[in-house]
Amino acid sequence: MTETFMDRLGRFLARRLNSPNAGYEPYTPSDPETLSRTLEPGDVLLVEGNQKVSAAIKYLTQSTWSHAALYVGDALENDPVDGKGPSLASPEPPRLVEVNLGEGCVAVPLSKYARFNTRICRPVGLTPEDRSTIVAYMVDRLGVRYDMKNIFDLMRYFLPTPPVPVRWRRRMLAFGSGDPTRAICSSMIAQAYQSVRYPILPEVARAPGRQCADSEYSREEILHIRHHSLFAPRDFDLSPYFQVVKPTLVYGFDYKQLQWGQRNEAGGNGSGTDSQPTD
């Protein structure tokens, strides 16, 4: 009885944390069609969420990004089993695999983030074989759910700005049982990349004898893969091994082709006008 009650309470708290904050307005909302043309399987799509839990994640990680999803391309287009493919209610095929609080690992269409600020992070030099392995890793885990009955882990996200020093905020994500943390961060995506030993933000340790210039071993750096539970969405943005891809620049950008509107203002540059870009 206690476990059933805690499960229900956990799901209730998860729904509350997933509820949107009023007043969110993206600066540069994403265009699903442009994203679809630009994204490649294995790319990580970072999202600036507008949910209550998003505010806590952005504060604790000191980042604009609160969510991450993996682009899997058409891997699910013809596989409608277990919610992996398009449904009758949503004919648009799912292109992203992500982990959501209360839902677990799910597949969603690109249009889900049409009204959000996003960023594409692309692994550099990833082989086609490893790319396929990463995509398959995420697809195989669709339907995985995390334990939500640890309400103490969930309740801390209702305090979006806990009064703790900056150096301790990141560690707050790893407190407790860990399941709620894995359900809101980038743990599964990090595990997918670690399965092919692709680095994200490895800790670098100098090998012994570094001071000896004649030793090859002294010049080697040992890359330690960090535990996946500590990865946050911003790590893919900060990673030196992921390239930030901006869809507006991929297909050619010519600022001369922009159309600018004119807004009359008193003073200004002396001409009485101030140029403003039009959408």
Side-chain angles (χ1 to χ4, degrees), residues 207-247:
R210 177 71 179 182
Q211 294 80 4
C212 180
D214 296 332
S215 171
E216 285 292 331
Y217 181 72
S218 69
R219 291 192 291 269
E220 293 180 356
E221 293 178 342
I222 303 172
L223 304 182
H224 297 284
I225 297 177
R226 294 163 50 188
H227 192 269
H228 58 79
S229 67
L230 298 181
F231 281 100
R234 80 162 189 170
D235 292 337
F236 295 97
D237 190 11
L238 297 177
S239 173
Y241 311 110
F242 281 76
Q243 177 185 12
V244 173
V245 179
K246 298 189 176 182

Side-chain angles (χ1 to χ4, degrees), residues 42 44 121-127 130 134 186 189-204 221-228 231-232 234-243:
V44 178
C121 294
R122 177 167 297 161
V124 176
L126 190 66
T127 66
D130 285 348
I134 290 170
S186 309
I189 297 177
Q191 285 177 287
Y193 276 97
Q194 288 177 348
S195 70
V196 298
R197 300 193 65 79
Y198 189 92
I200 302 173
L201 277 180
E203 295 177 354
V204 179
E221 293 178 342
I222 303 172
L223 304 182
H224 297 284
I225 297 177
R226 294 163 50 188
H227 192 269
H228 58 79
F231 281 100
R234 80 162 189 170
D235 292 337
F236 295 97
D237 190 11
L238 297 177
S239 173
Y241 311 110
F242 281 76
Q243 177 185 12

Side-chain angles (χ1 to χ4, degrees), residues 157-218:
Y157 297 114
F158 284 95
L159 300 175
T161 57
V164 296
V166 173
R167 65 181 181 274
W168 292 349
R169 292 173 189 170
R170 173 67 166 259
R171 288 290 174 176
M172 287 188 67
L173 292 173
F175 288 170
S177 70
D179 270 3
T181 297
R182 287 192 289 271
I184 62 177
C185 286
S186 309
S187 298
M188 189 172 289
I189 297 177
Q191 285 177 287
Y193 276 97
Q194 288 177 348
S195 70
V196 298
R197 300 193 65 79
Y198 189 92
I200 302 173
L201 277 180
E203 295 177 354
V204 179
R206 302 293 181 183
R210 177 71 179 182
Q211 294 80 4
C212 180
D214 296 332
S215 171
E216 285 292 331
Y217 181 72
S218 69

Side-chain angles (χ1 to χ4, degrees), residues 17-278:
L17 287 170
N18 280 329
S19 61
N21 284 318
Y24 173 81
E25 189 67 30
Y27 287 105
T28 54
S30 303
D31 173 21
E33 183 177 346
T34 303
L35 278 178
S36 180
R37 287 194 302 159
T38 308
L39 283 163
E40 297 178 358
D43 285 355
V44 178
L45 184 69
L46 303 182
V47 182
E48 181 189 43
N50 71 333
Q51 301 158 317
K52 292 186 182 346
V53 70
S54 303
I57 297 303
K58 286 186 280 190
Y59 175 78
L60 292 174
T61 62
Q62 295 293 283
S63 171
T64 237
W65 312 113
S66 63
H67 184 64
L70 188 86
Y71 183 74
V72 298
D74 59 0
L76 301 172
E77 193 168 19
N78 299 316
D79 186 4
V81 179
D82 297 330
K84 296 180 181 180
S87 65
L88 295 178
S90 177
E92 182 183 355
R95 305 288 188 186
L96 301 170
V97 175
E98 61 185 13
V99 175
N100 293 325
L101 189 66
E103 290 184 294
C105 187
V106 296
V108 299
L110 284 171
S111 59
K112 176 180 179 179
Y113 297 115
R115 294 292 302 165
F116 291 85
N117 295 324
T118 59
R119 170 164 292 175
I120 299 172
C121 294
R122 177 167 297 161
V124 176
L126 190 66
T127 66
E129 294 78 16
D130 285 348
R131 188 185 306 274
S132 298
T133 299
I134 290 170
V135 169
Y137 186 100
M138 295 295 290
V139 170
D140 289 344
R141 280 152 184 79
L142 284 171
V144 170
R145 298 177 67 93
Y146 288 103
D147 187 359
M148 292 291 111
K149 65 173 175 284
N150 194 316
I151 62 172
F152 295 103
D153 283 4
L154 290 167
M155 289 181 68
R156 71 172 178 261
Y157 297 114
F158 284 95
L159 300 175
T161 57
V164 296
V166 173
R167 65 181 181 274
W168 292 349
R169 292 173 189 170
R170 173 67 166 259
R171 288 290 174 176
M172 287 188 67
L173 292 173
F175 288 170
S177 70
D179 270 3
T181 297
R182 287 192 289 271
I184 62 177
C185 286
S186 309
S187 298
M188 189 172 289
I189 297 177
Q191 285 177 287
Y193 276 97
Q194 288 177 348
S195 70
V196 298
R197 300 193 65 79
Y198 189 92
I200 302 173
L201 277 180
E203 295 177 354
V204 179
R206 302 293 181 183
R210 177 71 179 182
Q211 294 80 4
C212 180
D214 296 332
S215 171
E216 285 292 331
Y217 181 72
S218 69
R219 291 192 291 269
E220 293 180 356
E221 293 178 342
I222 303 172
L223 304 182
H224 297 284
I225 297 177
R226 294 163 50 188
H227 192 269
H228 58 79
S229 67
L230 298 181
F231 281 100
R234 80 162 189 170
D235 292 337
F236 295 97
D237 190 11
L238 297 177
S239 173
Y241 311 110
F242 281 76
Q243 177 185 12
V244 173
V245 179
K246 298 189 176 182
T248 53
L249 306 181
V250 170
Y251 296 100
F253 169 69
D254 182 1
Y255 73 95
K256 293 291 188 181
Q257 300 300 317
L258 292 178
Q259 296 183 2
W260 296 80
Q262 297 294 321
R263 184 177 65 187
N264 293 326
E265 291 183 352
N269 58 10
S271 63
T273 62
D274 183 23
S275 298
Q276 297 291 330
T278 58

